[in-house]
Amino acid sequence: MAYATQMAAARQGVLTPQMRQVLVDEKIHESDLLERVANGRIAIPANRNHKNLVAKGIGAGLTTKINVNLGVSEDCCNVDNELNKVRRSIELKADAIMDLSTFGDTRAFRRKTVEISPVMIGTVPVYDAVARYGKEVANISVDDFFDVVRIHAEDGVDFMTIHAGLTRTAVQRLRTNPRLTHVVSRGGSLLLDWMTTNDRENPFYEHFDRLLDLCREYDVTLSLGDGLRPGCLRDATDAAQIQELIVLGELTKRCWQADVQVMIEGPGHVPLNEVVANMQLEKKLCHGAPFYVLGPIVTDVAPGYDHITSAIGGALAAAHGADFLCYVTPAEHLRLPDADDMKEGIIASRIAAHAADIAKGIPGAIAWDNAMSKARKELDWTTMFNLAMDPDKAKAYRASSQPLDQEVCTMCGDLCAVKRSRNILEKKG
């Protein structure tokens, strides 16, 4: 193997097997793919130890991808349930799975997840450091943190969220610009605790070259985490968030200098009128790197419906530059999601991603909608169900209310506008 990472290969003009897999799914010329991987505008997370991976690209000119979060916790430690979520996520066409486990034998679960998953796998090593060592956060050593990063890389994790931009300067911005909800990122809060208690700089920022060496060795994509993302609308686009984003932009350049692929993680709660500006800021400050957003959630008052609030924000965000949407379920802010919550979150995120792809003019995106519209005009129910994003739900709705005329539905019955106008406008002779 003459190249260390997908980025290094692209810079040598080498079309890797993973790039060929991306070309199967995407309507992009191979020369454009090579150029955008080489300059960092597309990332292909593909750890060399993830043997059954079917690689996908994230970034400029590609379809918007979606991620599913899952994993075991102390309060909900059912490994079989979480593995079933992994399988179901793949069936529901998620593009990535993040294992956020914080309890039990996290390595066994992570290895099994990698083993059964053809989709890319992400993790947050800081979570696992707490679970693995059983220490107070402040007592975890720098070497402990990096040992966990190496373990995740060895296990085949394709991308890792590392909150390297949460520096002491950013913390000072947070203190001098008080927030309503402080720090809502779990990884961000853990590092804030470590830095404050030990009166030290963020170890991942201070030893960033050490992190790059590990990522390059296994071709792990860095997902630079937003430890200071806003946790409510009032805190959106504030000084601390932007301070961290500036640092992430600087770290992006260091990643590319080391042939390491990188994505940038973005805000969680953002008023609708600030979503586009946030996308523009990230793309500008982080030099066009792929952008990975949680939602964003556009109102704080809809617990139980946050898959909808995030789909609204996600569609707008992706239409204006976000490349990767992290799903949000109805259980957000309330509890660990179950399998039904997970499905609702996946479908909502897929709707947002597809709507954005149409808006961005991704080649071929609207063809799916045109095919559905043709089937609707023809009242071809079988084709409509086959084309539906969730065929089972569509079939169940129709089966629950049967019309007298099986060609139409019970909304209009004999007054079906589609049937009537078709008969008039397509009348032969």
Side-chain angles (χ1 to χ4, degrees):
M1 184 181 296
Y3 56 88
T5 66
Q6 297 294 318
M7 176 173 272
R11 288 172 170 175
Q12 296 172 34
V14 175
L15 197 67
T16 66
Q18 292 78 16
M19 293 178 200
R20 294 185 188 280
Q21 289 173 336
V22 172
L23 290 170
V24 170
D25 291 334
E26 305 282 354
K27 296 185 185 300
I28 182 174
H29 192 275
E30 65 178 56
S31 62
D32 292 328
L33 180 63
L34 280 168
E35 179 184 0
R36 293 172 195 173
V37 174
N39 65 26
R41 295 184 66 208
I42 289 177
I44 304 176
N47 185 318
R48 63 184 81 262
N49 286 346
H50 191 172
K51 302 303 183 183
N52 65 332
L53 174 70
V54 179
K56 293 193 176 185
I58 302 167
L62 305 183
T63 55
T64 305
K65 305 304 186 297
I66 71 158
N67 171 71
V68 170
N69 290 341
L70 46 76
V72 293
S73 67
E74 184 173 6
D75 289 318
C76 298
C77 190
N78 189 316
V79 171
D80 289 339
N81 280 352
E82 294 307 300
L83 287 174
N84 285 336
K85 287 183 188 177
V86 172
R87 297 183 181 95
R88 185 62 173 142
S89 296
I90 296 165
E91 291 173 1
L92 290 168
K93 301 182 180 179
D95 300 296
I97 292 170
M98 287 200 78
D99 170 18
L100 306 184
S101 295
T102 58
F103 187 76
D105 190 347
T106 54
R107 190 170 199 188
F109 178 78
R110 181 171 55 254
R111 284 177 162 177
K112 186 63 177 178
T113 298
V114 171
E115 177 189 333
I116 66 177
S117 300
V119 303
M120 53 186 142
I121 302 298
T123 58
V124 187
V126 166
Y127 297 177
D128 197 28
V130 176
R132 181 176 183 82
Y133 297 116
K135 300 178 181 178
E136 292 295 324
V137 173
N139 294 330
I140 297 173
S141 71
V142 172
D143 286 340
D144 287 341
F145 282 128
F146 279 93
D147 286 346
V148 171
V149 171
R150 177 174 287 281
I151 288 168
H152 284 219
E154 289 174 350
D155 290 345
V157 170
D158 302 294
F159 65 98
M160 296 184 200
T161 293
I162 303 287
H163 301 88
L166 202 170
T167 62
R168 300 184 82 172
T169 300
V171 172
Q172 185 59 33
R173 289 280 185 274
L174 184 66
R175 293 187 184 280
T176 55
N177 299 271
R179 285 179 161 186
L180 181 60
T181 54
H182 303 305
V183 176
V184 299
S185 161
R186 185 164 37 177
S189 69
L190 291 171
L191 284 171
L192 176 67
D193 184 356
W194 190 93
M195 294 163 64
T196 302
T197 305
N198 291 303
D199 192 24
R200 292 180 63 182
E201 182 57 274
N202 182 336
F204 293 110
Y205 178 77
E206 184 176 2
H207 304 283
F208 196 68
D209 287 338
R210 181 176 178 181
L211 181 62
L212 291 178
D213 288 343
L214 280 171
C215 290
R216 187 171 51 248
E217 181 179 349
Y218 294 90
D219 198 2
V220 171
T221 297
L222 266 183
S223 188
L224 290 175
D226 50 342
L228 297 178
R229 68 174 180 267
C232 67
L233 300 190
R234 180 176 166 183
D235 295 339
T237 328
D238 70 351
Q241 177 193 332
I242 302 307
Q243 173 66 46
E244 182 180 38
L245 188 62
I246 291 169
V247 176
L248 296 185
E250 295 168 351
L251 295 178
T252 294
K253 287 185 175 181
R254 291 176 63 181
C255 290
W256 290 343
Q257 289 166 359
D259 288 338
V260 171
Q261 299 185 105
V262 62
M263 303 183 290
I264 308 300
E265 296 188 13
H269 293 240
V270 181
L272 198 62
N273 61 302
E274 294 183 19
V275 170
V276 175
N278 270 265
M279 302 307 108
Q280 293 169 335
L281 276 170
E282 185 281 336
K283 288 295 181 178
K284 182 71 173 180
L285 294 176
C286 297
H287 321 293
F291 198 19
Y292 173 26
V293 297
L294 177 66
I297 290 172
V298 295
T299 178
D300 296 328
V301 295
Y305 297 91
D306 277 326
H307 59 310
I308 297 174
T309 66
S310 70
I312 293 168
L316 185 59
H320 290 273
D323 306 287
F324 194 16
L325 303 180
C326 186
Y327 92 147
V328 174
T329 77
E332 185 78 6
H333 303 111
L334 302 172
R335 62 169 169 80
L336 189 76
D338 63 20
D340 291 336
D341 299 325
M342 186 189 72
K343 178 181 177 181
E344 291 294 314
I346 290 173
I347 297 298
S349 292
R350 286 186 60 199
I351 292 168
H354 180 63
D357 288 346
I358 294 169
K360 286 190 285 194
I362 297 296
I366 202 168
W368 184 7
D369 300 75
N370 290 342
M372 176 65 85
S373 298
K374 183 175 184 293
R376 283 180 174 154
K377 183 199 71 170
E378 296 171 353
L379 296 170
D380 179 351
W381 296 97
T382 299
T383 300
M384 281 188 260
F385 295 144
N386 289 339
L387 289 168
M389 195 171 287
D390 184 357
D392 293 340
K393 190 168 188 176
K395 289 176 185 177
Y397 268 101
R398 179 156 174 81
S400 70
S401 182
Q402 288 294 304
L404 294 173
D405 177 359
Q406 287 295 307
E407 193 175 16
V408 299
C409 77
T410 56
M411 173 68 79
C412 298
D414 187 52
L415 299 180
C416 176
V418 170
K419 182 176 181 179
R420 189 176 298 271
S421 64
R422 184 192 63 189
N423 290 344
I424 295 170
L425 297 174
E426 298 186 8
K427 187 175 183 180
K428 306 301 181 184

